[in-house]
Amino acid sequence: LKPPLSLSSASPQVSAYPASVPPRLCSSALARARASGDRGSEATAAMAASTAARVRLASLVALCCATLAGAGSGDCRHPLFTTHWAGKSDIIHLSSEPSMQYDLSLCPMYNGREACCNTAFEAEQTIAFDRWVAHFKLVKENLHNFQMEMEALKVSRAYVEVSFIEKALFDKAFASFNPVLDTFGTCFDTLLEFMAGVLCFACDPQWRGKVVLDDHCLSAIALRIHDSQNDDLWGSCRQFGAAADDLVARIVDSSLAKSVQSRFEDLRPFASRIGVAQYMADNSLVPMRPPAEQVLRVEPEEGVFQEEGSRRLQATSSGAEMLLFPVRDGRASAFECSIFPRMALPSGAAGVLGEAAARSLWIVLSSLVAGSVALATSLQPP
């Protein structure tokens, strides 16, 4: 960082020492209170001095963040990809500084411009994306295993001995699995598109305006994502979310279903638009998913960080709002996101279509036969 004088000149609106709490005044008051032996005044003065110190520290941090956010040339020290910063010899890493790219295959939208990722780093992006594919496949597999164990339970002695009401609750819970397994594909493919877009975000040297940093300007606590991307997520997950919400309620109602030993996935985030958006916002903070399977619980240290960080970045982004479009970028990437089966036609609709097609074929064949008979009759000699 530059000396404090240069920082002040770069951002004159930020004061490192707020006039409302002069540091010398607080120190003098504390010294007088200690000398007089007044414990009440001493506690008050000590609290004021502590508050002044915290305010000064927060002001200096905000000053540093304002200076960092004002860097217009961009850099490749992306906080979401710290393990792959340049300078490490044991792993494939990002470029040390933005450079022109022409041969990127996974994130072609960054070709013809300065970017931080390179063709070698695409191997790491592929590994990370494959881990996300494996993660969502495991979610689907756990749901299927739970359903199979419930099916085995239906022919067990425990099922025979429960009351009629409990059998009805269990049967309803078991039947609720089919809508979930029919609709999850479209949703999970869109989640993969989202993560593909976040992985391509590693290429962006202008990441500072799209990331909310912590008070030390070291770690990312949120991404600034355009709201249309949450609409895309919810549009793809709405049916799955409704089916999952019903399934969770049915499982909770049945004591016999809750006795199943298989892991039951937490599907509550998919019950609402806000839940899906928050679920993917949390996942977006760990795009380079670790190989070991674990439940990811990434939350800001305090809820106010997100709001205050957003205001701080907005105040220093020279009026241009910079937002991230992960679903759009994922769809424009070369990551294979069509992994899961999409929802098939309901059996009732398929039957109706089959009957209609048979009737149409019968009408066409009848017309052809009638036409052939009429043509043969007209060609006979008188």
Side-chain angles (χ1 to χ4, degrees):
L1 297 177
K2 295 181 180 179
L5 181 60
S6 300
L7 293 178
S8 299
S9 62
S11 303
Q13 72 276 12
V14 181
S15 174
Y17 297 95
S20 58
V21 191
R24 292 182 179 178
L25 179 60
C26 293
S27 300
S28 300
L30 180 58
R32 289 195 300 271
R34 287 175 176 174
S36 63
D38 188 347
R39 293 187 178 277
S41 300
E42 182 179 352
T44 303
M47 185 178 299
S50 177
T51 301
R54 288 198 301 268
V55 171
R56 290 199 302 273
L57 178 59
S59 299
L60 287 172
V61 169
L63 193 61
C64 295
C65 290
T67 304
L68 292 174
S73 60
D75 67 84
C76 297
R77 299 181 73 82
H78 201 304
L80 295 183
F81 305 92
T82 54
T83 56
H84 294 275
W85 283 358
K88 300 180 179 181
S89 59
D90 56 334
I91 59 172
I92 302 175
H93 53 71
L94 295 165
S95 301
S96 58
E97 59 184 17
S99 58
M100 291 296 294
Q101 299 295 327
Y102 300 98
D103 300 318
L104 296 177
S105 58
L106 291 180
C107 304
M109 69 285 289
Y110 286 96
N111 282 327
R113 52 187 284 196
E114 289 191 343
C116 293
C117 50
N118 47 62
T119 54
F121 185 68
E122 290 185 334
E124 296 295 320
Q125 290 175 303
T126 300
I127 292 173
F129 183 77
D130 289 344
R131 287 172 182 166
W132 282 108
V133 172
H135 167 70
F136 290 116
K137 283 185 175 180
L138 183 61
V139 173
K140 184 259 181 183
E141 182 181 346
N142 288 336
L143 289 172
H144 179 72
N145 291 341
F146 198 98
Q147 183 191 33
M148 292 299 97
E149 191 168 341
M150 285 186 67
E151 186 174 20
L153 198 58
K154 290 189 69 172
V155 295
S156 68
R157 186 178 184 85
Y159 180 84
V160 174
E161 293 177 348
V162 296
S163 65
F164 174 79
I165 295 178
E166 177 56 36
K167 284 188 178 71
L169 292 174
F170 182 87
D171 292 343
K172 190 66 177 177
F174 180 75
S176 299
F177 268 95
N178 289 331
V180 171
L181 296 175
D182 286 342
T183 56
F184 80 95
T186 303
C187 178
F188 283 15
D189 280 352
T190 306
L191 301 186
L192 288 176
E193 291 170 346
F194 186 102
M195 293 312 304
V198 176
L199 288 171
C200 284
F201 185 38
C203 303
D204 192 352
Q206 302 295 336
W207 55 265
R208 292 192 182 276
K210 304 171 186 177
V211 174
V212 180
L213 299 174
D214 63 8
D215 279 356
H216 303 289
C217 298
L218 297 176
S219 302
I221 59 174
L223 299 183
R224 302 186 64 209
I225 297 172
H226 195 276
D227 198 49
S228 64
Q229 307 303 281
N230 297 328
D231 291 335
D232 290 339
L233 288 173
W234 183 235
S236 298
C237 295
R238 183 192 297 269
Q239 288 182 293
F240 172 70
D245 189 44
D246 181 66
L247 173 62
V248 172
R250 300 297 182 185
I251 294 294
V252 171
D253 288 342
S254 172
S255 59
L256 189 59
K258 288 187 288 186
S259 69
V260 173
Q261 298 299 313
S262 294
R263 174 179 173 178
F264 185 77
E265 291 290 336
D266 184 8
L267 302 177
R268 291 172 297 177
F270 298 96
S272 66
R273 179 183 181 276
I274 295 177
V276 176
Q278 185 60 54
Y279 175 72
M280 293 310 296
D282 292 345
N283 286 336
S284 67
L285 297 179
V286 281
M288 307 300 286
R289 184 180 178 86
E293 174 62 25
Q294 56 182 318
V295 178
L296 298 178
R297 299 187 182 278
V298 183
E299 299 176 357
E301 295 181 19
E302 294 183 18
V304 297
F305 279 177
Q306 207 163 0
E307 183 179 354
E308 291 181 353
S310 298
R311 287 200 299 267
R312 181 168 66 237
L313 288 176
Q314 288 169 358
T316 59
S317 61
S318 67
E321 188 175 21
M322 302 178 68
L323 298 173
L324 197 59
F325 293 81
V327 177
R328 180 200 66 186
D329 294 344
R331 289 171 177 170
S333 72
F335 288 100
E336 180 53 55
C337 299
S338 298
I339 301 296
F340 300 98
R342 301 299 179 98
M343 184 176 62
L345 287 171
S347 57
V352 172
L353 288 176
E355 294 175 2
R359 286 196 297 269
S360 300
L361 181 60
W362 174 254
I363 292 173
V364 171
L365 291 176
S366 300
S367 301
L368 290 175
V369 171
S372 299
V373 171
L375 179 60
T377 304
S378 63
L379 293 177
Q380 289 181 355

